[in-house]
Amino acid sequence: MEKIRYYDIRYVNGTTTSIQTENGVIENAGSSFFGKAFFRVLGENGWGYYCASPFDMDNKKAKEACIQKAAVSSRLAGVHAEIADVPFGTPRSWICSAKEQAAAPLEEKAGQLLQLEATAKIPEICSTSARYSEQYQDVIFEDCNGYSAKSSVCRTLFTVSAVANRGSDMQMNYEQEAVVGPLSLTDYIPYGEKCAKRAVELLDASAVSGGRMSAVLDPAIAGVFAHEAVGHASEGDAIRDGVSVLGGKIGQRVGSPLVTIIDDPSMHGYGYEPFDAEGVAAGPLELIRHGIMNKYMHSRETLAAVGSETGEAGHARAEPGLPPLVRMSNTYIKEGDASYDEIIAECRNGVLLIGSRGGQVDPGRGAFQFNAKYGYLIENGETTKMIRDVSLSGDILSVLHNITLCGKERKMSSGMCGKGQSVPVSDGAPHVYLTEAIVGGGQ
Amino acid sequence: MSEVDIEKILSYGEKFADEVEVFILDYTDISLEQREMAVSSVFEHAGQSIYVRVVKDNHIGVSGTSDPSRWKDCLEVAISSAKLSEPVTGWTGFPEKSALPKGQDPFDAKITVTPDLAAEYLERMNAGASAHPEARVVTAEVSLLAGVSTVANSNGVHYTRQMSDISLGMDAICDNSTGYDSDSSPFLERINPEKIGEQTSFWATASRNGVNVETKKYDVVLSEHAVESLIFGLFSDTVNGKNVLTGKSVYVGHLGEEVMSPSVSISDVPMDKEGSAWKRFDTEGTLTSDVEIVKNGVLSSFLYDAKTASQAKTISTGNAHRSGNGATYIDPHCMRISAPVSDVLEKPCMYVREVIGAHTANPLTGEFSVEVANAFFAESGRFVQPVKKAMISGNVFDILRGDVSISAETKTFDNAVVPKMRISGMQVIG
């Protein structure tokens, strides 16, 4: 028998139903389903993992056999690991299993999706598509100390996209809404037209000439900044491994006093988790408080490695059947007291960046890049010409110091975060004014 | 691992549908992760996925599960799904049985899914990394996989493919300068772990003490990694038959027209000896063949699977791949570019090893503005000075229409064999 210092099992039973429409017809619709059990054993010198799929959680012999397989693997490891003893908290029991959503016939949802997509058919739109998905995951967590927790979470989302065409010029836009719990497509029918109008407007937008300039970030792209630039650099594994520019900075000023950034898995956003992949139910955590590095996000292992005073566990997340990694959930920049008009006026000359087409960060170097869906030039304190294909890059610490105004109203956006594994997250912010930013454009 | 009776599923399904298709993936894998220069975790996994597609009155339905014992549930869901989907215009059916051309599967019996082999390759990567001792290796990983995929349909197709894979990756840091390298192949002898380790620590150390750059146009050389993520990724989307059919490609209506410099040709070569695909048939059972996508600058073909080929009133190019829910998607197997070959680093240039944010490029217009990583000013084939920070911006389609040259040496990725590319007058933002 192998020496087992700790083990846990995370079983996920899931079903995903999706509908895809293209140019007014149902392209495909259907479901896939799975059951995966992930066994994690901490041996004398590190971790052994085993994934079994399918798996029957009532089969005690099979459980024991899989634990032993993971234990045998753990014997090959050579990096001693500890896990911090932390309170599990009370698993959140927000009712979001959305039984009514599941019970509604697929035909009905498909009809609503087609209706939503149809509103995007306006002049100069040459192609439209829409996608709807609902994902149900029932999780059972058990550990070797007799602790167990269960959750049942439904996530639903839709995306509508439209391509505008004028002569040889083409532009695309998409709108998305993703929530935990039910989502009524009938509430979002006008989104198709909203999406299409923006795509048509982009045909008249100009490319921007890149360079260093003042910038105002809307809540969506400022939220991506909070996630990509600050959140990833505040993850306990990056801190433990010495590959974050925010490492070793607890208690130090890392940004403007206006900046407070929070990660909150208990928030009813797309990154909501009743408990994390180690069974720990976490609440809001201030990563940066008034410009001072405050806490890092941790798993039980990184908390033990980096120090219990440096943050909190409860931030380990995993795709079904895969090992837990330190991840964000719902991450946002806290509201300030500036109005939108004050921010644009203060900027005077620069760019307003709106929406996000995604981004990427190298936390070790402190460099990040993300693209806006579109934007506007700010000239003499007013927004003027629409701009497209515009991006923002920089180094994390400089940008945090360059934030000189934060707006009063915060909005959250939902999406998926990839870090080897893909997990649902949300991020958000108020409008944020940067005195200097590196803006990239096609001109 | 459960034995799946494919014939039973096909014959049962035919009671309810005109055509039935089963795709099964069986695999075992092991991953060793390294931290602090020692193995920190070992992950073993044995998996099986089964995907069922049915066709009834030209309506296609699909479902998938990781539990083969639930194949009947899977079939029922696929049948329900077909009722909801729009009939496929011009549907010509799943592929018929054909004689498979001779050729080897992407399989190497030397890739055994064992911790010993993975540990050996980790050690060899570490040995390579020690060539630049100022760099600290942060993490490294070796994964080994062996498996079999089977596609069978009610038209008599029943093909199996053996697969193997070894994947290695390492990252290192040196004074806030980071380096990363990775490689994967179905064949053990193609992997050079020492080189991956050496390159990882080289990029981390060599990129230190970078200089600021002036915002202006430079001649830029993109590495194989940058060409693959920025140029090939976007081009693949543009010649994807589904995107063409739905109007989401700038190449719609331009077949037969010059879309690139006449000196540029791009093909998909599924059985390319230097590639990793080695696919005699795609995931629907359509036999593959070489596809000239752009020949001497002229757009010659798009890539199709069976469904999109029917809709486009053409034949499948055999480019169906399989996504997680069992539906097919279109992608090249092994893309190849030919263009004037030169010593791309001979004349002064900015060399860009990696780009951050390649996925944010505009897939319709080709516009991009991305951050560079591990970039250098180079001349006479040597790196003269690392670049501290910069963005490059441009348009992928304009680049391919312009004056490009490529290197003779290439790097093999999962679905492409890629050279370095020299581009004149690219906008760099410092």
Side-chain angles (χ1 to χ4, degrees), chain A residues 316-338:
Chain A
R317 303 183 69 192
E319 272 187 41
L322 292 175
L325 297 173
V326 182
R327 307 297 294 264
M328 283 166 269
S329 54
N330 305 296
T331 314
Y332 60 92
I333 301 174
K334 205 171 172 182
E335 300 87 329
D337 58 6

Side-chain angles (χ1 to χ4, degrees), chain B residues 104-400:
Chain B
Q104 192 190 326
D105 286 343
F107 176 75
D108 182 351
K110 292 194 207 77
I111 297 181
T112 53
V113 184
T114 60
D116 289 349
L117 182 63
E120 177 197 331
Y121 274 69
L122 262 183
E123 278 178 29
R124 290 175 58 186
M125 264 201 297
N126 291 336
S130 66
H132 306 283
E134 287 173 89
R136 177 173 64 85
V137 173
V138 181
T139 60
E141 182 171 2
V142 175
S143 299
L144 305 167
L145 175 144
V148 176
S149 69
T150 304
V151 59
N153 69 32
S154 49
N155 297 338
V157 163
H158 192 134
Y159 307 144
T160 60
R161 173 190 288 121
Q162 276 191 293
M163 304 171 296
S164 58
D165 184 75
I166 175 168
S167 301
L168 287 78
M170 179 175 261
D171 68 288
I173 189 163
C174 190
D175 302 340
N176 281 353
S177 163
T178 54
Y180 175 74
D181 200 15
S182 64
D183 204 0
S184 69
S185 177
F187 308 106
L188 200 60
E189 66 186 21
R190 289 193 185 178
I191 293 291
N192 184 340
E194 288 85 358
K195 188 179 174 193
I196 295 168
E198 189 275 328
Q199 285 289 289
T200 301
S201 56
F202 168 77
W203 294 118
T205 50
S207 303
R208 289 173 298 170
N209 307 317
V211 294
N212 290 319
V213 299
E214 192 185 339
T215 298
K216 63 173 191 177
K217 290 188 188 297
Y218 294 83
D219 286 352
V220 169
V221 171
L222 298 180
S223 74
E224 299 90 335
H225 292 263
V227 171
E228 194 267 342
S229 60
L230 196 58
I231 309 279
F232 277 29
L234 202 135
F235 177 78
S236 298
D237 285 347
T238 310
V239 296
N240 177 315
K242 184 174 179 186
N243 289 339
V244 172
L245 278 167
T246 53
K248 291 177 182 167
S249 164
V250 287
Y251 287 166
V252 173
H254 293 287
L255 214 52
E257 295 178 14
E258 192 170 286
V259 295
M260 290 181 192
S261 160
S263 63
V264 176
S265 296
I266 299 178
S267 307
D268 186 37
V269 187
M271 292 298 286
D272 189 303
K273 283 187 178 172
E274 288 180 48
S276 289
W278 289 27
K279 286 183 178 164
R280 290 176 291 158
F281 55 91
D282 70 1
T283 63
E284 295 180 301
T286 300
L287 302 193
T288 60
S289 56
D290 295 357
V291 181
E292 287 181 325
I293 304 168
V294 173
K295 189 177 181 185
N296 300 329
V298 175
L299 184 63
S300 308
S301 178
F302 298 119
L303 302 179
Y304 293 104
D305 60 4
K307 179 178 173 180
T308 53
S310 299
Q311 290 168 321
K313 299 184 176 59
T314 183
I315 56 169
S316 170
T317 52
N319 285 92
H321 295 249
R322 200 66 69 143
S323 67
N325 69 355
T328 57
Y329 67 91
I330 299 165
D331 223 16
H333 297 297
C334 182
M335 207 150 68
R336 278 281 200 174
I337 183 167
S338 70
V341 174
S342 69
D343 184 351
V344 292
L345 288 169
E346 183 59 27
K347 291 181 185 167
C349 65
M350 179 189 284
Y351 175 75
V352 176
R353 173 42 171 42
E354 293 277 4
V355 295
I356 298 179
H359 64 288
T360 64
N362 188 327
L364 268 183
T365 64
E367 300 284 342
F368 66 86
S369 49
V370 293
E371 177 80 7
V372 303
N374 303 124
F376 298 82
F377 287 111
E379 57 186 65
S380 304
R382 291 187 310 110
F383 296 152
V384 177
Q385 180 70 57
V387 170
K388 185 177 181 184
K389 171 171 194 352
M391 289 179 90
I392 52 172
S393 65
N395 183 297
V396 168
F397 304 119
D398 289 345
I399 286 171
L400 292 170

Side-chain angles (χ1 to χ4, degrees), chain A residues 201-207 386-388:
Chain A
E201 284 172 8
L202 280 168
L203 292 170
D204 294 314
S206 317
M386 192 181 197
I387 53 177
R388 68 192 188 198

